[in-house]
Amino acid sequence: MRLRSGVFASSCLLVEALGVALFLRGFFPLPVRSLPRREARGDPPAEPAPPGPGMVSNWTEIPSPLFKKVVIVLIDALRDDFVFGSKGKQFMPYTTQVVEKGTSYSFIAEVKPPTVTMPRIKALMTGSVPGFIDVIVNLNSPALLDDNLIWQAKTAGKRIIFYGDDTWVKLFPKHFVEYDGTTSFFVSDFTEVDDNVTRHLDRVLKREDWDLLILHYLGLDHIGHVTGPNSPLVGPKLREMDNILKKIHISLLSKEEASLPNLLVVCGDHGMSETGSHGGSSEGEVHTPLLFISSAFEKRSGPLAQPELVQQTDLASTLAVGLGLPISRNSVGNLILPVVGGKTMREQLRFVHLNGFQLSKLLQENTPAYEKDPGYEHFKIAEKSHGNWIKLYLEGNNSEILLNLGKKVLKQYLEALKTLSSSLSKQVAQYDMYSMMVGTVIIMEVLLLLLLSIPKALSSQAEFEVPLSPPLFSLLFYLMCLMLCAVHIIVCTSAESLCYFCSMSWLTAVGVMMLISALMCGILSAIAKIFENSRLPLKNPVVSSSSWSEIDVLILAGTIGHVLSLGASSFIEEEHQTWYFLINTLCLALCQELCRNNFLLKESDPQHSTTGKQNFDSIGEASEYKNIDIPAAGNLKLGKATSSAEFIKGSDKWISLASPWIILICCRLLRSLNQTGVQWAHRPDFGHWLTRGITEARFVYVFVLGIVFTGTKDLLKSQVISADSSVKSTGLWEVYNGLVLLAALLFRPHNLPVLVFCLLIQTMMTRYIWRPLKFDAARITVMHYWFGQAFFYFQGNSNGIATVDVSAGFVGLESYVEIPAIFLTAFATYSGPLLWAIHLLCYLSSEVSRNSAAVGHGCFCYALMRSIPVAVYIVLVTGLRYHLFIWSVFSPKLLYEGVHVFITVAICLFFTAMDQNHSHKVED
């Protein structure tokens, strides 16, 4: 079966995408789980039995509620310094007064990545650490089936009212007696999204028919996404929140009864980075304020100390105790003791014992050797001491000894809770190693097949014979299928935990096994073919004059160096520096190549030209070059070499020599436009200066009008070309111009210079570097790939989820529509690589008159450049899965790599669809 290079590369990428999807499903598994929710409400444990005969504790029920009404005010993206810092003192005076001198307890809640809304709501209400893959389903939150505080409250007959982010309504359907959800993804709305919550307050606060009121305000988060944390809009929004908290607090105080006080909880789901986004693990994103305000607490006196650091998951356990509910079975949080510090010693010990019992039970259900866990051992020691304390208490001992022993037992419990919580948090997810290994095998087989196919795929014909019959009908193929199926049966029948690949149907699993076997047989067949050809004498032996140039060495060294750098967390956080270095070095190497071709080579000595071995042999400039403003080189006969000195004359020669330096200047300016990464992301950049009122608006008008003018000019010029061979090229440039305009529409105004410099660099590289030096398709493809990666970071992107600009998904939409929003967000994020890839297709399509295999070569090289880093990175991530930074650094990068693979599949399929000239020539 004969296949063109582009078809073969696209097929390999489709198979690789299957392997990547399988690996991601295994790498991002489900968190540790306890019993199903319907079985979660069992009898609570009794107090520890006191030693000695005849003594039994009579406290076997869940403690009574500590608060009558509880109001939770969740302010989205509320950073800790917005309350405890200078902004809090300036814009939230009432809250600051309550924190410093009122009846309140203040904490800083530490959030685990990913810092996006839906996983954080799960953490707040279940006390568990959600799986990292929850960031993917954040856009469409399914109903929460785990044991959680809302379900426990509803089951206990408590009436819950909710207003705010409709993510709650999706997570907890039919749990609220009254609710009004607002769309959380329409980030350009700063006002109405909060007014729709506040408008219910006056009416609800006057009523008595509710027990739990939850308010989720989104305006601050939207301001951060669009304008950043230092925006002048942040202050008024904080003042608005302060007034709301004042209204709620005063209303709760006025309605309190002597029996039970009310409680106001103020918290954030996550913080905000220095760029205004969230999703990563920077300090601004993972630290949020947590305030408990109630008349049950003692009034604060003296200077305010630094708030204590607690875990965000601790809120679920604390609220469960405060509402008199069982602690969620999946919770890994600890009770925040100061909240119940006003109760008697027996009550406090009862609360921490319930918390410890729940954590030890969860540990037993997820750890086979739980008895050897230090936290479990500490809990059993504390439980025994607790029993001794109860014995003294039941005997009526009220001496100082009883109080001191109670404090000692309390301290033992707190240490046990801390250790248990830490142990469970480390086991938050169990990797599905079988699915990961199957995905890795598929990915590595595809990479090896691509590497073995390089000589044939990059030949002048750009097509080769793929031997399907020998591998598929060989004994080896069937033996491998049987062996893999046997391994599959053994693994799936002996696996203690749920395996995703084992949960697939047998037909699907057998199909995957056959695919792995076929790929392996194809690899072995290709290796055998290479050895067979190496032993045959050449029919027409010729002395190869080709040698490795500096550009070739740089491309190879740069690719290997980048791949090796993915094994270090610091290099992943600052990967943009790697790509900036590579393209700067490439520009210097191109400058050297241009100088050599213009000054060192003789016009009469064309054989020394470094371009002599290129596939783009000079045949003459096609008429379609005119539509991209490339001057023709004149009619040349086939096989006649020409030197670059003839190709570039007059002023174009000096422009060509200056082009690499102009590109270097452009890249340096782009580096200053957006500070990205981790180490220097907080520093001011040129983009901050551009996002200022009228300056921002003027940039919108100037750049959009300029791009519209350029695109219109190119489209008009393309219409005058009447040759049939140029129709496709003209259509491709129209598609490219349309994508440029779409990017201009989606980019933030201060990022429009990125688009302008992208077009400028592409034009200069095309006219003054690639055509004069007559690079082949492989080199040009690698350069396009490198610049596409660099422009990904020039946009301000990084390997952290926080830099994804979700506001791009709502441009031109009146409300949140899932599919268009996902498409627009993905295009805006990967517009750099996409625009350079489509430009590559346009450029190579214009070269078909000189090399009919150009598009096929480009497609194959692009697929290979994407396959190498993703295959190596998946192996590295598997080995580093227990690394300290696996969730904060390596996992977000893995998601980016996975999405990039899927986008590359679409790109290569488009390449293949456009590679029609070569197929027609083969048929002729």
Side-chain angles (χ1 to χ4, degrees):
M1 179 179 180
R2 298 190 66 82
L3 288 179
R4 303 197 309 274
S5 296
V7 176
F8 177 75
S10 299
S11 302
C12 287
L13 271 182
L14 283 172
V15 176
E16 184 178 52
L18 170 65
V20 170
L22 194 56
F23 181 88
L24 291 177
R25 183 59 180 80
F27 187 82
F28 296 111
L30 299 175
V32 292
R33 287 290 180 263
S34 184
L35 294 174
R37 191 172 65 183
R38 62 180 178 273
E39 303 175 21
R41 287 185 63 88
D43 294 331
E47 280 185 316
M55 299 192 69
V56 179
S57 171
N58 58 0
W59 198 352
T60 59
E61 301 296 329
I62 293 290
S64 301
L66 307 181
F67 306 100
K68 181 181 180 182
K69 292 181 182 295
V70 176
V71 179
I72 302 175
V73 180
L74 194 156
I75 304 174
D76 210 295
L78 184 66
R79 297 197 333 187
D80 60 330
D81 59 334
F82 286 175
V83 175
F84 304 127
S86 58
K87 282 189 173 67
K89 289 181 172 58
Q90 181 180 359
F91 300 111
M92 304 187 75
Y94 185 81
T95 305
T96 301
Q97 181 184 3
V98 172
V99 167
E100 294 180 350
K101 300 178 182 179
T103 55
S104 66
Y105 287 107
S106 307
F107 304 93
I108 294 178
E110 185 178 20
V111 181
K112 301 295 184 185
T115 49
V116 290
T117 296
M118 190 270 284
R120 304 281 46 92
I121 295 176
K122 284 186 177 182
L124 287 167
M125 293 296 105
T126 66
S128 62
V129 181
F132 200 92
I133 200 63
D134 282 322
V135 71
I136 302 298
V137 296
N138 185 53
L139 296 175
N140 186 21
S141 310
L144 181 61
L145 300 179
D146 299 334
D147 186 19
N148 60 81
L149 182 73
I150 302 296
W151 179 79
Q152 292 282 7
K154 181 177 182 294
T155 305
K158 295 190 180 295
R159 295 154 297 180
I160 312 170
I161 296 178
F162 170 77
Y163 304 116
D165 187 349
D166 60 359
T167 304
W168 291 76
V169 181
K170 297 175 183 177
L171 287 174
F172 309 106
K174 301 179 181 179
H175 285 67
F176 307 118
V177 296
E178 183 179 320
Y179 65 88
D180 184 11
T182 57
T183 302
S184 59
F185 295 104
F186 197 58
V187 295
S188 59
D189 178 10
F190 304 156
T191 306
E192 293 296 328
V193 71
D194 286 344
D195 290 346
N196 286 333
V197 178
T198 307
R199 64 190 177 97
H200 300 283
L201 269 184
D202 291 332
R203 174 176 53 85
V204 171
L205 292 175
K206 294 176 183 178
R207 291 159 42 185
E208 296 290 337
D209 60 344
W210 57 271
D211 302 293
L212 177 61
L213 173 64
I214 304 174
L215 308 172
H216 188 149
Y217 285 93
L218 290 162
L220 183 64
D221 178 66
H222 291 184
I223 290 173
H225 277 297
V226 177
T227 63
N230 299 315
S231 166
L233 298 174
V234 170
K237 179 57 66 174
L238 292 177
R239 187 176 288 112
E240 177 188 344
M241 295 295 103
D242 188 58
N243 292 331
I244 291 169
L245 294 176
K246 180 179 179 181
K247 175 187 292 188
I248 296 172
H249 187 212
I250 293 174
S251 176
L252 291 178
L253 290 176
S254 65
K255 291 183 175 296
E256 276 192 356
E257 300 176 358
S259 56
L260 284 177
N262 298 323
L263 174 67
L264 171 61
V265 179
V266 183
C267 62
D269 55 345
H270 52 73
M272 187 186 299
S273 69
E274 290 300 321
T275 59
S277 193
H278 55 88
S281 56
S282 66
E283 184 175 354
E285 296 169 86
V286 300
H287 285 168
T288 66
L290 178 58
L291 309 180
F292 295 91
I293 305 171
S294 173
S295 61
F297 307 144
E298 293 183 2
K299 196 168 185 179
R300 301 188 66 90
S301 60
L304 179 66
Q306 176 68 19
E308 180 185 349
L309 187 67
V310 298
Q311 297 298 313
Q312 189 183 52
T313 51
D314 297 343
L315 180 64
S317 303
T318 306
L319 286 180
V321 170
L323 290 169
L325 303 171
I327 299 175
S328 301
R329 293 292 300 268
N330 299 319
S331 172
V332 298
N334 296 339
L335 174 67
I336 301 177
L337 194 62
V339 178
V340 298
K343 297 300 176 180
T344 65
M345 180 58 69
R346 188 184 185 188
E347 288 177 312
Q348 294 185 49
L349 290 175
R350 174 63 170 162
F351 296 148
V352 292
H353 176 254
L354 288 172
N355 194 185
F357 183 86
Q358 172 263 322
L359 289 175
S360 63
K361 191 73 173 175
L362 184 62
L363 185 71
Q364 292 179 41
E365 295 170 355
N366 289 277
T367 306
Y370 66 89
E371 294 179 348
K372 298 180 181 179
D373 187 88
Y376 186 82
E377 293 176 350
H378 292 166
F379 173 70
K380 286 302 179 182
I381 293 173
E383 198 173 37
K384 185 176 181 180
S385 300
H386 190 185
N388 293 329
W389 185 92
I390 292 175
K391 179 181 179 181
L392 293 176
Y393 178 82
L394 294 178
E395 290 175 350
N397 190 333
N398 295 321
S399 65
E400 192 73 18
I401 298 176
L402 184 67
L403 180 61
N404 292 335
L405 180 60
K407 292 180 179 179
K408 180 182 177 181
V409 175
L410 196 60
K411 185 178 180 181
Q412 289 177 334
Y413 267 130
L414 293 178
E415 291 177 356
L417 293 180
K418 185 176 181 181
T419 310
L420 282 169
S421 179
S422 177
S423 299
L424 287 167
S425 297
K426 290 177 182 177
Q427 302 173 19
V428 67
Q430 299 174 352
Y431 294 104
D432 182 359
M433 288 301 300
Y434 185 44
S435 300
M436 289 170 59
M437 294 308 299
V438 172
T440 302
V441 169
I442 294 175
I443 294 167
M444 297 306 296
E445 284 184 333
V446 169
L447 176 61
L448 190 55
L449 200 58
L450 287 171
L451 291 174
L452 292 173
S453 305
I454 289 177
K456 288 288 186 181
L458 297 184
S459 64
S460 59
Q461 295 180 349
E463 64 175 14
F464 48 90
E465 186 72 27
V466 179
L468 290 181
S469 299
L472 295 181
F473 294 99
S474 64
L475 179 61
L476 177 62
F477 172 75
Y478 295 109
L479 287 177
M480 288 192 64
C481 286
L482 288 175
M483 183 185 69
L484 291 176
C485 289
V487 171
H488 182 72
I489 293 174
I490 293 172
V491 172
C492 294
T493 54
S494 62
E496 296 181 358
S497 59
L498 179 64
C499 173
Y500 174 73
F501 190 57
C502 292
S503 65
M504 290 182 173
S505 65
W506 275 102
L507 186 62
T508 304
V510 170
V512 173
M513 298 303 172
M514 293 180 66
L515 175 63
I516 294 175
S517 303
L519 288 173
M520 181 56 67
C521 291
I523 290 171
L524 295 176
S525 176
I527 295 174
K529 190 84 170 177
I530 292 174
F531 277 106
E532 181 182 345
N533 293 336
S534 64
R535 296 177 180 176
L536 296 176
L538 296 176
K539 295 180 180 180
N540 298 312
V542 294
V543 179
S544 177
S545 60
S546 63
S547 60
W548 284 70
S549 67
E550 290 87 346
I551 300 293
D552 298 325
V553 174
L554 173 61
I555 288 174
L556 180 62
T559 301
I560 295 175
H562 168 254
V563 168
L564 294 178
S565 71
L566 297 178
S569 60
S570 298
F571 276 95
I572 292 177
E573 290 177 335
E574 308 296 329
E575 188 182 357
H576 57 285
Q577 302 287 4
T578 303
W579 289 111
Y580 296 166
F581 172 79
L582 289 178
I583 62 171
N584 290 343
T585 308
L586 176 63
C587 289
L588 294 177
L590 292 173
C591 181
Q592 180 191 16
E593 193 78 8
L594 288 168
C595 290
R596 178 189 293 120
N597 279 268
N598 281 281
F599 298 116
L600 299 181
L601 297 181
K602 305 286 187 180
E603 291 188 14
S604 60
D605 192 18
Q607 62 183 357
H608 290 91
S609 173
T610 58
T611 61
K613 61 183 173 67
Q614 308 300 329
N615 287 329
F616 290 169
D617 297 324
S618 50
I619 300 177
E621 302 292 338
S623 59
E624 68 249 30
Y625 295 169
K626 296 178 183 180
N627 72 340
I628 52 173
D629 294 336
I630 304 298
N635 296 324
L636 301 174
K637 294 183 178 181
L638 180 64
K640 181 180 179 180
T642 180
S643 68
S644 296
E646 291 176 346
F647 202 96
I648 308 175
K649 295 182 179 180
S651 61
D652 283 355
K653 172 181 178 180
W654 301 106
I655 297 176
S656 177
L657 292 172
S659 295
W661 299 101
I662 297 174
I663 294 172
L664 279 174
I665 295 172
C666 293
C667 292
R668 186 62 189 88
L669 292 174
L670 288 171
R671 289 182 63 176
S672 303
L673 186 64
N674 291 298
Q675 293 287 359
T676 185
V678 174
Q679 296 296 328
W680 297 281
H682 63 282
R683 293 187 177 181
D685 49 40
F686 193 57
H688 284 92
W689 180 82
L690 295 179
T691 55
R692 294 182 181 176
I694 189 66
T695 307
E696 182 178 5
R698 287 173 178 172
F699 266 94
V700 174
Y701 295 136
V702 170
F703 286 119
V704 170
L705 289 176
I707 293 171
V708 168
F709 173 78
T710 304
T712 305
K713 181 192 70 173
D714 288 341
L715 290 174
L716 291 175
K717 292 183 71 174
S718 67
Q719 298 302 318
V720 302
I721 302 175
S722 57
D724 293 336
S725 60
S726 66
V727 173
K728 183 182 67 177
S729 181
T730 302
L732 287 174
W733 284 108
E734 290 177 352
V735 170
Y736 176 73
N737 290 331
L739 293 178
V740 169
L741 292 176
L742 178 60
L745 181 66
L746 298 180
F747 274 16
R748 293 197 181 192
H750 75 272
N751 258 346
L752 288 175
V754 176
L755 202 56
V756 174
F757 283 123
C758 175
L759 300 177
L760 176 63
I761 292 173
Q762 288 174 348
T763 302
M764 296 191 72
M765 295 285 283
T766 300
R767 180 165 184 170
Y768 299 110
I769 295 179
W770 291 327
R771 291 200 187 281
L773 295 178
K774 286 190 268 186
F775 285 139
D776 61 9
R779 289 178 175 179
I780 292 174
T781 301
V782 174
M783 293 182 195
H784 273 83
Y785 179 83
W786 281 17
F787 272 96
Q789 290 298 104
F791 271 83
F792 174 82
Y793 296 104
F794 283 147
Q795 294 174 232
N797 291 321
S798 70
N799 287 323
I801 300 174
T803 53
V804 176
D805 183 13
V806 296
S807 62
F810 303 90
V811 176
L813 300 179
E814 294 183 357
S815 60
Y816 174 67
V817 185
E818 185 174 350
I819 300 301
I822 293 175
F823 169 78
L824 294 175
T825 302
F827 179 82
T829 303
Y830 289 92
S831 57
L834 278 169
L835 290 179
W836 278 90
I838 301 302
H839 182 271
L840 171 66
L841 177 59
C842 295
Y843 178 86
L844 295 180
S845 295
S846 67
E847 297 290 336
V848 293
S849 61
R850 292 197 294 178
N851 183 6
S852 60
V855 176
H857 288 169
C859 181
F860 182 87
C861 291
Y862 202 89
L864 183 62
M865 290 298 297
R866 185 86 288 275
S867 298
I868 292 174
V870 74
V872 174
Y873 188 69
I874 278 177
V875 174
L876 291 173
V877 166
T878 303
L880 297 171
R881 62 187 181 277
Y882 297 114
H883 193 279
L884 179 63
F885 301 136
I886 185 63
W887 298 117
S888 59
V889 177
F890 293 101
S891 294
K893 170 65 176 175
L894 181 60
L895 288 177
Y896 275 108
E897 290 291 323
V899 174
H900 202 170
V901 167
F902 300 139
I903 291 176
T904 306
V905 170
I907 291 173
C908 287
L909 289 175
F910 189 49
F911 268 67
T912 304
M914 295 297 103
D915 187 18
Q916 297 299 322
N917 284 353
H918 183 236
S919 60
H920 292 330
K921 290 192 176 185
V922 171
E923 292 173 2
D924 295 341

